[in-house]
Amino acid sequence: MTQYFCPACFAEVGSAAPVCLACGVTAADWEADRTYTQRLVHALGHPVPTTRMMAILALKGRLEPDTAMPLALCAQAYPVDVVQGMEILRAIEALAADAPQRQAALRNLTTHPSRLMRDRAAELLEQPPRTGDPGSP
Ligand SMILES: [Zn+2]
């Protein structure tokens, strides 16, 4: 059976319930009041890991620098999920290298509990901006 969650507070709700019993929000109104990017950023806090991962992958495709810090904070909030964390690093890496939001997010991740994450974030911070170098792996 498919699970349905309130988009605002992530309480599990019935598929037919127009109003969340946990927070009183009407799903349709909540969604109408937010941009797609805002909803994706909000979904980074979703309790179901696959839903978070879908939000990360969708944000990665949007290349919006303002999503860098929310992504970094998602990696910090779920420190044991290194698969998710590495995808977050790839999403941040894909942003324009001169975006200050990207650099701030990477600096945040140099404090991540996972050494793998810390090292990769530090490596990306040190890299000079890439300009479509076809020789790089
Ligand atoms: Zn709710």
Side-chain angles (χ1 to χ4, degrees), residues 67-128:
T67 64
M69 191 55 85
L71 282 164
L73 295 177
C74 176
Q76 297 279 17
Y78 303 95
V80 295
D81 194 341
V82 174
V83 172
Q84 172 188 280
M86 292 311 281
E87 200 56 50
I88 284 172
L89 273 172
R90 281 189 283 273
I92 295 171
E93 181 183 5
L95 297 170
D98 58 352
Q101 299 97 321
R102 176 190 191 266
Q103 303 307 92
L106 289 173
R107 275 193 300 276
N108 178 288
L109 289 175
T110 60
T111 68
H112 194 276
S114 155
R115 185 187 176 143
L116 187 67
M117 292 284 297
R118 286 199 304 274
D119 289 356
R120 183 64 184 142
E123 209 177 286
L124 290 171
L125 269 175
E126 285 163 18
Q127 273 176 11

Side-chain angles (χ1 to χ4, degrees), residues 16-81:
V19 176
C20 173
L21 295 175
C23 74
V25 154
T26 304
D29 290 349
W30 190 90
E31 292 185 353
D33 287 348
R34 282 159 185 83
T35 65
Y36 183 53
T37 299
Q38 286 173 327
R39 282 182 274 145
L40 289 173
V41 165
H42 186 72
L44 294 174
H46 201 283
V48 176
T50 50
T51 302
R52 290 199 302 274
M53 188 57 103
M54 283 189 284
I56 293 161
L57 293 172
L59 286 170
K60 183 177 161 190
R62 296 178 71 80
L63 299 173
E64 294 179 32
D66 284 342
T67 64
M69 191 55 85
L71 282 164
L73 295 177
C74 176
Q76 297 279 17
Y78 303 95
V80 295
D81 194 341

